[in-house]
Amino acid sequence: MLLSALSSALSLFGFATSPPSQDLFQPHVANTPQPLTFQLRHLHGVMDDSKIIFHDVPKEFSAASTHSVTTRRTTVPRPKLQADFHRARRRGRTEGVLETLDWEEDEIVAPDATNRETLLELAKMTNNAYLEPGDDGWYNLTDNWNKSSPFGWEPDADGFRGHIFVSADESTVVLSIKGTSAGVLGGGGPTVRKDKLNDNLLFSCCCARVDWSWTTVCDCYGGGWKCDQDCLEQSLVEESLFYTIGTNLYNNVTYLYPNANIWLVGHSLGGALAGLLGVTFGVPVVAFEAPGEKMASRRLHLPSPPSTMHITHVYHTADVIAMGACNGVLSSCAIAGYAMESRCHLGVSSVYDTMTKLNWSSDIRTHRIGVVIDQLLSKDWEEGVPVPKAEPEDDCVVSCANSLQSLANVAPLTSDDPV
């Protein structure tokens, strides 16, 4: 009752929209990590004016949507103060100053990303972020996740969407972020326009300028295959864009659940956003079939923590989007109006080599989260190997040289420029 009243009061005033001046909670850490049970408790979303709204899930749906997840102890790097993190971001963007931050190593309970059943449950949570409880395609969860709430599902909410799953003891909250809804990527609906805008801003070399026939999504292309880097970075921090909305959403969740650990999960665009927020707040992330977010992280001037091992990407080699291969004028993505030109991921990646082992062909249709759930995580990858080992992409180097021969205000891109 109290939680529902608090949620209603917060939504009435649009929730807090700036990071708290200091950390408001200490994460709950069990002496011995135990499996956690989660249920869908809330839906989350964003209105046209960028106000974040929450909607409580009816008990009959919440009870039918439970997930059991195994856990492990881990340490994550977090900035001592969020205010310092965001100040460093602003100074990096506006003054070109690389500020050194103080980081703390916090011990927390995190999902065991080496456990196939855990990844399967988290993948189901990401799938359900595209749906409302009871829709066709909804995956019911095990009894370990006590409550869940969707966000962004009101009739006039057309952007950032997802669900919030809460463990039975309220020690852990999983924020599941919806990815791109589009015909070519699976689905559709009212969020398509804003999904595409964020995809093309975050993952293209310059405002989705693929060739002369494209209408760019920002005004940073200067002709002659040049792009204004300052303009490009500014275009990523508008209040209506998903990274900014995600930081506000995270802060609001910590107000609702001040003593809980927060985990982030997502698919595709949602997974990349989860990775960016994982760097920002120092929380565990599991992302499925996400495009590389390292380029966006640098353009957002996110201060680099000592380690990003708390971010785990799971994808397979036939997915052209996760592999960074869905680019060029004749690619499936370009035909649908998406310029997916980034490749490198933050953290560690558990990569299923489906093209070699299963003889899959490179195909955008394998990008769907349902493929991961039904064909990869439904059984162990190999005998004695439940999931591929997660490793950092240390050798991932990509170039925007094919798209932009030089950038204004920065040195020309070469084949050695990591993105």
Side-chain angles (χ1 to χ4, degrees):
M1 177 76 74
L2 180 59
L3 178 62
S4 178
L6 175 60
S7 176
S8 299
L10 287 171
S11 62
L12 179 63
F13 292 101
F15 285 82
T17 58
S18 60
S21 59
Q22 59 182 0
D23 293 331
L24 297 180
F25 68 96
Q26 293 295 326
H28 170 87
V29 180
N31 289 331
T32 302
Q34 300 292 325
L36 292 174
T37 301
F38 297 79
Q39 281 185 353
L40 179 65
R41 183 178 290 188
H42 316 282
L43 307 178
H44 69 76
V46 180
M47 307 294 283
D48 280 342
D49 59 1
S50 299
K51 181 178 74 174
I52 296 171
I53 49 177
F54 285 57
H55 175 67
D56 292 343
V57 173
K59 289 184 178 180
E60 60 269 26
F61 289 120
S62 183
S65 179
T66 59
H67 296 266
S68 179
V69 175
T70 60
T71 62
R72 63 183 177 88
R73 280 179 174 273
T74 190
T75 58
V76 295
R78 289 174 170 165
K80 259 186 180 178
L81 293 175
Q82 274 294 304
D84 291 344
F85 184 93
H86 291 287
R87 184 190 66 247
R89 278 193 61 221
R90 287 192 299 271
R91 294 195 68 194
R93 182 172 56 83
T94 61
E95 303 174 31
V97 174
L98 184 61
E99 188 171 327
T100 301
L101 287 186
D102 290 329
W103 299 87
E104 295 180 329
E105 292 285 336
D106 288 342
E107 183 178 327
I108 65 169
V109 171
D112 183 0
T114 67
N115 183 286
R116 178 181 60 80
E117 287 81 5
T118 290
L119 291 181
L120 178 61
E121 291 300 311
L122 296 177
K124 289 178 180 179
M125 292 183 185
T126 68
N127 173 84
N128 290 354
Y130 288 91
L131 305 167
E132 293 188 75
D135 283 354
D136 289 343
W138 178 273
Y139 286 93
N140 287 329
L141 311 176
T142 54
D143 294 336
N144 287 339
W145 293 90
N146 177 261
K147 305 166 189 175
S148 159
S149 306
F151 55 91
W153 296 91
E154 287 65 22
D156 53 351
D158 63 349
F160 199 100
R161 282 187 177 183
H163 293 170
I164 298 169
F165 296 85
V166 184
S167 62
D169 60 0
E170 297 195 356
S171 68
T172 306
V173 173
V174 177
L175 179 56
S176 175
I177 305 171
K178 184 188 78 65
T180 299
S181 294
V184 67
L185 303 180
T191 71
V192 169
R193 181 180 60 85
K194 287 187 178 177
D195 291 346
K196 178 182 282 190
L197 172 64
N198 279 269
D199 278 319
N200 282 333
L201 280 173
L202 290 169
F203 310 123
S204 72
C205 287
C206 186
C207 305
R209 167 73 185 194
V210 175
D211 70 7
W212 62 269
S213 65
W214 280 57
T215 300
T216 57
V217 294
C218 55
D219 297 325
C220 307
Y221 176 70
W225 297 104
K226 292 183 178 181
C227 189
D228 188 322
Q229 183 80 346
D230 293 339
C231 169
L232 191 59
E233 293 172 358
Q234 179 62 35
S235 70
L236 293 178
V237 297
E238 300 295 333
E239 287 190 2
S240 61
L241 296 180
F242 286 176
Y243 170 76
T244 304
I245 290 170
T247 60
N248 294 337
L249 172 65
Y250 178 92
N251 289 319
N252 289 321
V253 171
T254 63
Y255 279 111
L256 282 174
Y257 299 98
N259 298 312
N261 289 315
I262 309 294
W263 301 350
L264 301 171
V265 299
H267 167 253
S268 190
L269 169 63
L273 291 166
L276 296 173
L277 295 173
V279 168
T280 302
F281 295 103
V283 293
V285 172
V286 178
F288 298 92
E289 307 298 323
E293 80 278 43
K294 186 176 289 186
M295 177 171 68
S297 174
R298 295 183 179 185
R299 288 179 174 176
L300 287 165
H301 289 275
L302 303 187
S304 297
S307 169
T308 57
M309 299 290 282
H310 56 291
I311 300 171
T312 300
H313 284 273
V314 180
Y315 61 92
H316 63 82
T317 56
D319 180 1
V320 291
I321 292 177
M323 292 293 292
C326 197
N327 47 57
V329 177
L330 299 179
S331 68
S332 301
C333 291
I335 291 171
Y338 294 82
M340 310 297 287
E341 297 170 324
S342 64
R343 184 169 65 93
C344 300
H345 298 86
L346 297 168
V348 294
S349 297
S350 180
V351 182
Y352 287 76
D353 190 358
T354 53
M355 295 184 71
T356 300
K357 181 176 172 59
L358 302 181
N359 295 317
W360 288 13
S361 299
S362 182
D363 191 331
I364 195 171
R365 291 173 295 181
T366 66
H367 179 68
R368 295 182 302 107
I369 185 62
V371 172
V372 176
I373 293 171
D374 297 333
Q375 300 186 45
L376 296 181
L377 294 177
S378 60
K379 59 183 179 181
D380 287 353
W381 177 234
E382 295 176 340
E383 184 177 352
V385 183
V387 299
K389 182 180 179 181
E391 298 178 315
E393 299 180 5
D394 291 333
D395 59 346
C396 185
V397 175
V398 73
S399 171
C400 283
N402 290 336
S403 299
L404 302 170
Q405 294 180 359
S406 63
L407 287 174
N409 304 325
V410 297
L413 289 173
T414 71
S415 60
D416 295 326
D417 286 311
V419 178

